[in-house]
Amino acid sequence: GAGFIGTHTVVQLLNDGYNVTIIDNFDNSVMEAVDRVRELVGSNLSPNLQFTEGDLRNKDDLEKLFSKTT
């Protein structure tokens, strides 16, 4: 979610009106990328972006994410 392809995809989804949740463990990315997405989409769309630090391959991380996502 916070890598090169993920951030570009997130910007497009937010601009198209979607709510987006990113999960990333920062193995190959940085939190600054998520902050930059928020800057790029502006204050109107930033609230539609949620971030959770975690590993997409980890069942516990996914259960935690889905338990707080409506």
Side-chain angles (χ1 to χ4, degrees):
F4 180 80
I5 294 171
T7 54
H8 283 77
T9 302
V10 169
V11 167
Q12 188 62 50
L13 288 169
L14 289 168
N15 283 328
D16 287 347
Y18 291 93
N19 292 322
V20 179
T21 300
I22 295 173
I23 183 170
D24 202 296
N25 63 4
F26 299 121
D27 277 351
N28 196 23
S29 58
V30 292
M31 185 63 192
E32 288 80 11
V34 178
D35 296 336
R36 182 69 178 132
V37 167
R38 292 185 192 281
E39 290 176 22
L40 286 170
V41 300
S43 60
N44 289 338
L45 296 178
S46 286
N48 298 336
L49 173 60
Q50 303 299 317
F51 175 79
T52 298
E53 186 170 354
D55 191 328
L56 187 60
R57 302 166 296 180
N58 184 302
K59 182 180 175 184
D60 291 335
D61 289 349
L62 289 176
E63 287 178 355
K64 181 181 173 184
L65 171 66
F66 290 134
S67 71
K68 66 180 182 180
T69 304
T70 57

